[in-house]
Amino acid sequence: MKFLLAFAVLTHCLFICLDAPSILGAEGKDKKGTSLKKERLPEVVVTASRVETPTSEVPASVTVIKSEDLKALGARPVSEALKKKVEGVDVVETAGFLNPTQWVSLRGMSWSQNRTAILLDGVPLNNPNSGVVKWNSISATSLDRMEVVRGPFSSLYGSSAMGGVINLITRKPTKPFGVEFSSAAGEWETFSESFSLETKKGRLGFLTDVSYLNSAGYNAAPRHLRTPFDKDRDTEQQRYMGKLFFDVTGNSSVSLGLRYSHWDYGLGRKFFFMSGENLTPTLNFERKGERIGILATLYAANEKEKITLDTSPFNFKNSVTNIDNEWYGGNLTLSASLTSWNRIVGGVETKLGWAKSVDDFKRKVRRRQGEGSQNLYGIYLEDQLRLAEGRLVFSLGGRYEWVTNFDGLSLDTDISASPTNHKSKSWSNFSPRGGVVFQATDNTLLRASIGQGFRVPTLFELYKTTRVSRTRISEANPQLGPETSTTYEIGAEHWFLPSLMGKVSFYYTEMEDFIFSVTKGKVGSDTISQGQNAGKVIIKGAEPALKYDINNNWALFGSFTYNESRFKDVPLNRVLEGNFLPYSPWQKWNLGASYKNPAVIDADVTGHFIGRQYGNDLNTQPVHNYFVADLKLSRQVNEHAGLFLNVENLLDKHYQAVKDFNAPGFFVMGGIDLKF
């Protein structure tokens, strides 16, 4: 009842903001009576409703990153495109693409990856151990686009979709035969290659993509902290993907995919390195119909990682950690367009996860272990109403989720020779969401929404004590419970000129039982922290953006993110109240200009600013603001060959994105693209 009341009030306020002519449907015209908005096909996304929906009918802030921007990354992680192209995104990485993990989060929910759902063709990539996503396992050249939907979407995607959803969508073969090859070389003895082949004959299609990256890297340790054992952070990465497509009928298809990746990283010290691999087969069925649509997905993911860890004074191997993740599941989504003005989407989903993490110490007989299983079952429904000839769109839905944790085990032989077996736990939650979109004039679109988010603790948070950095140990907490959120959002999109579009979103989020790693104290030189349901967090912000296509060659864009994420009520540690969440900068902006002239050159220059933030919950470790400029140049030599040059950190700015780790300096990489 509280949710429905808030939704009604929010919707009513939206209409009050409109003038009478707009409500009656008057179109936006210039002084000559001409519509300002360009005639164009509406952009369609699948993530916001699990089925194809025009962005003009989505009551949420949506960004689509196209294939050309993703392919420009070469063999680097696709998360690189997010921090320069999308407002409201935080990408935390200690050493750029040389970092094994990029923590990506939306809407200021700290740097924890597990509050943003990451999908690849609808398959969840967040592993059950910690919710972390291995962005380096995804080939950018295999993708058609990346859809970013901001705001709580637990109503469709369940646990982890508190801040939003990022869905990576694989391209489909369209040519009888096509081959693409790219090779590049750059600073730090960095080399990358990618190869893709596609074929489509009759009903049968096939796509394969292979990419490779090798770099000697650089030394990320600040000079005042360096030891004789600090070294360059190097990496070697391989990715393989194959997908077979079969058109069953004119509007239905089946695809069978297999993705494999392997990575090796030197983490900056002689006895600190990691390796890992991921293998994921998938099976998809899709039927598109005027009245009835079906989308079904099955997957089985297996991920293994081995980490060799040192400890101060970093002159020996302290431990070897082996992490095993397995998650299996499926999703069935049905859509029914009962009339031209009503569509219902519903479905069921399950994700069965298991994880085991074992630390074996080398200098003494000691084993530290965490293990457990977590099964999630969800059922969801969303109803969309299109009124006033499609100018007014209402959507209301929700998801009920059951979560069971079992076979939980913790062990530290320094404390006890026998493991602690934890009792099974079960949780259930209903996450509603409602929204409205109103095409106020031909040039102005308004939207409002309210939604609730939900996240259960990960197996790592529940059962595994481990060293997370050179000076910090995180303790397990089997008593953790779920966290919830409620988000209110309003937004607008307006065409000022046929080629000038602006948009803005305002949001306010209240988080309850916020799971956070709270500092408990020190043991020797180590800081001890533990994940706890710390209390209440308030997040508020604004995301304005502009895009101006000056002519057929020139374009400008700019976006700004203001975000304030603060602890509000923390009974466990009142000192934190009023403090900012770590690695949640309260100012970010992106500026860019592009020049497109295939006969001469294509050029893009972008600027990326990150404001002041803090590296800990006590706000005693400031991470200072920084500005980075990048340049991309490309030239199509002929229909089959092109050259490119990418320059990152053009001004060679010295900065730290993460406390006590120097970010990459000036980096240049160039190469050739071949297409047949």
Side-chain angles (χ1 to χ4, degrees), residues 104-398:
V104 177
S105 62
L106 297 174
R107 292 278 170 87
M109 292 194 173
S110 193
W111 66 333
S112 176
Q113 179 70 87
N114 48 39
R115 294 188 184 96
T116 299
I118 313 296
L119 313 172
L120 177 60
D121 294 329
V123 174
L125 298 181
N126 305 76
N127 70 40
N129 180 55
S130 60
V132 163
V133 173
K134 294 300 179 184
W135 292 91
N136 54 14
S137 68
I138 306 161
S139 174
T141 53
S142 69
L143 299 177
D144 176 65
R145 66 190 187 277
M146 186 189 323
E147 297 180 359
V148 183
V149 184
R150 292 176 285 280
F153 273 85
S154 294
S155 59
L156 285 174
Y157 295 95
S159 181
S160 294
M162 301 182 79
V165 182
I166 300 173
N167 192 12
L168 306 136
I169 299 172
T170 304
R171 60 192 178 95
K172 296 180 179 180
T174 57
K175 304 175 182 178
F177 182 80
V179 173
E180 294 184 16
F181 174 77
S182 179
S183 181
E187 299 275 349
W188 316 325
E189 300 177 34
T190 301
F191 302 94
S192 74
E193 287 80 33
S194 64
F195 169 84
S196 66
L197 180 149
E198 67 172 283
T199 180
K200 181 72 187 300
K201 294 184 178 180
R203 294 185 176 185
L204 197 63
F206 180 70
L207 172 68
T208 186
D209 187 278
V210 180
S211 61
Y212 173 81
L213 173 68
N214 185 287
S215 179
Y218 74 102
N219 194 327
R223 294 193 178 276
H224 70 283
L225 294 177
R226 286 185 187 177
T227 73
F229 300 95
D230 285 299
K231 58 186 286 290
D232 292 343
R233 301 172 70 103
D234 58 306
T235 186
E236 184 176 9
Q237 306 166 24
Q238 303 101 38
R239 310 176 188 94
Y240 309 89
M241 186 279 289
K243 204 163 189 177
L244 183 66
F245 300 83
F246 180 71
D247 296 331
V248 182
T249 66
N251 63 354
S252 63
S253 62
V254 175
S255 63
L256 178 65
L258 183 66
R259 181 170 59 91
Y260 174 78
S261 58
H262 179 89
W263 57 89
D264 292 284
Y265 285 92
L267 298 178
R269 295 194 297 273
K270 184 177 180 180
F271 301 109
F272 189 20
F273 45 89
M274 81 158 49
S275 62
E277 62 181 7
N278 179 291
L279 177 68
T280 305
T282 59
L283 177 64
N284 297 82
F285 172 78
E286 183 177 16
R287 180 190 185 277
K288 296 180 180 180
E290 291 185 7
R291 296 290 186 182
I292 303 296
I294 303 173
L295 179 62
T297 302
L298 293 173
Y299 63 89
N302 185 291
E303 186 175 280
K304 298 180 182 294
E305 202 158 43
K306 181 179 179 180
I307 306 171
T308 299
L309 183 66
D310 56 10
T311 189
S312 182
F314 313 118
N315 59 351
F316 60 89
K317 292 181 182 179
N318 181 59
S319 64
V320 175
T321 299
N322 286 282
I323 304 173
D324 292 300
N325 279 282
E326 295 177 4
W327 62 104
Y328 315 89
N331 174 72
L332 174 63
T333 299
L334 303 175
S335 62
S337 297
L338 305 179
T339 67
S340 61
W341 49 268
N342 181 231
R343 184 192 69 190
I344 295 177
V345 177
V348 293
E349 183 174 22
T350 182
K351 179 181 177 182
L352 314 178
W354 170 84
K356 180 179 180 180
S357 179
V358 180
D359 304 334
D360 284 314
F361 289 78
K362 298 302 180 182
R363 306 284 286 191
K364 64 177 181 177
V365 180
R366 183 187 180 189
R367 168 170 280 209
R368 195 164 54 196
Q369 179 176 335
E371 181 178 352
S373 297
Q374 186 176 87
N375 292 349
L376 296 89
Y377 309 91
I379 180 169
Y380 52 88
L381 185 70
E382 181 182 86
D383 192 7
Q384 184 196 75
L385 299 176
R386 301 175 71 252
L387 307 176
E389 299 181 345
R391 298 172 67 84
L392 180 63
V393 181
F394 287 97
S395 62
L396 182 64

Side-chain angles (χ1 to χ4, degrees), residues 35-109:
S35 174
L36 296 177
K37 188 175 180 180
K38 284 183 174 180
E39 289 297 327
R40 58 176 186 171
L41 292 174
E43 193 163 45
V44 174
V45 295
V46 299
T47 311
S49 298
R50 283 192 178 265
V51 295
E52 291 185 348
T53 306
T55 54
S56 58
E57 297 180 6
V58 174
S61 179
V62 180
T63 300
V64 178
I65 301 178
K66 303 291 182 62
S67 60
E68 53 265 31
D69 292 315
L70 296 169
K71 287 182 179 181
L73 296 171
R76 290 174 297 160
V78 294
S79 56
E80 293 282 307
L82 290 167
K83 61 184 179 182
K84 300 169 185 177
K85 293 288 183 179
V86 185
E87 60 272 17
V89 177
D90 293 315
V91 180
V92 180
E93 50 191 6
T94 56
F97 71 89
L98 297 172
N99 202 56
T101 302
Q102 289 77 29
W103 292 275
V104 177
S105 62
L106 297 174
R107 292 278 170 87
M109 292 194 173

